[in-house]
Amino acid sequence: MTERSLVLVKPDGVERNLVGQILARFEAKGYRLVDLRMLTPERSLLEQHYAEHQGKPFFEPLVEFMMSGPVVAAVVEGHRVIEGLRTIMGPSEPTTAPGGTIRGDLGRDWGASVQKNLVHGSDSPESAEREIGIWFG
Ligand code: UDP
Ligand code: MG
């Protein structure tokens, strides 16, 4: 089976009208969108999604931020898509993310207790299957 990744355009990306630009970069690279939905996630869903970060100082601000408005969830498919999407997204911190990446080109630091960095992509095949189950059942 072709590899799949779970993408989220986070509330800051939706608020700033960047959904199309962000998804367009994945499509332009040649990956395929195979499922798509918009929703405002509840706390219980986010606590599952970010279970690995429970107890860290940014966990509560992260959950509050992700509940603050609609997000776009997508399943993206292609050979080595997980690694490919994370290359296109760039590293977590938008201030130092390289130009040419989504976070580097479109993101910045807003001085908040959580990095509002526009986009999420799964970090391994195991995470992807787990996350796709959470967001798309
Ligand atoms: N995050 C943060 N501060 C940190 C680490 C993470 O605000 O020191 C937030 C940020 O929004 C990040 C998310 O928590 O995207 C999940 O963290 P992770 O390390 O999994 O980063 P990612 O995989 O999104 O690059
Ligand atoms: Mg992560």
Side-chain angles (χ1 to χ4, degrees):
M1 196 180 82
T2 315
E3 189 171 276
R4 300 189 303 168
S5 183
L6 186 277
V7 164
L8 301 174
V9 180
K10 296 184 179 185
D12 56 332
V14 176
E15 171 68 22
R16 292 179 54 206
N17 301 324
L18 294 172
V19 174
Q21 283 195 53
I22 290 169
L23 297 182
R25 290 185 180 215
F26 302 143
E27 289 192 297
K29 181 80 170 176
Y31 300 125
R32 184 163 302 277
L33 294 175
V34 295
D35 213 342
L36 191 64
R37 65 185 294 220
M38 179 179 261
L39 71 160
T40 302
E42 293 184 351
R43 175 176 292 274
S44 58
L45 187 156
L46 294 166
E47 286 179 347
Q48 282 183 67
H49 175 79
Y50 283 123
E52 65 170 315
H53 296 307
Q54 290 253 14
K56 296 181 185 173
F58 61 86
F59 180 75
E60 185 56 28
L62 175 60
V63 169
E64 294 283 339
F65 161 54
M66 293 296 294
M67 291 173 64
S68 68
V71 307
V72 170
V75 179
V76 186
E77 191 175 87
H79 188 65
R80 295 183 72 189
V81 66
I82 291 169
E83 192 181 1
L85 293 194
R86 289 183 68 91
T87 300
I88 297 169
M89 287 163 42
S92 306
E93 198 182 329
T95 298
T96 55
T101 68
I102 292 169
R103 287 161 165 175
D105 289 348
L106 305 176
R108 52 162 283 192
D109 197 303
W110 301 92
S113 50
V114 59
Q115 292 287 0
K116 299 182 179 180
N117 55 12
L118 299 168
V119 64
H120 166 86
S122 307
D123 64 8
S124 70
E126 297 72 29
S127 300
E129 289 313 305
R130 192 180 70 82
E131 293 171 0
I132 290 167
I134 291 170
W135 290 85
F136 288 90

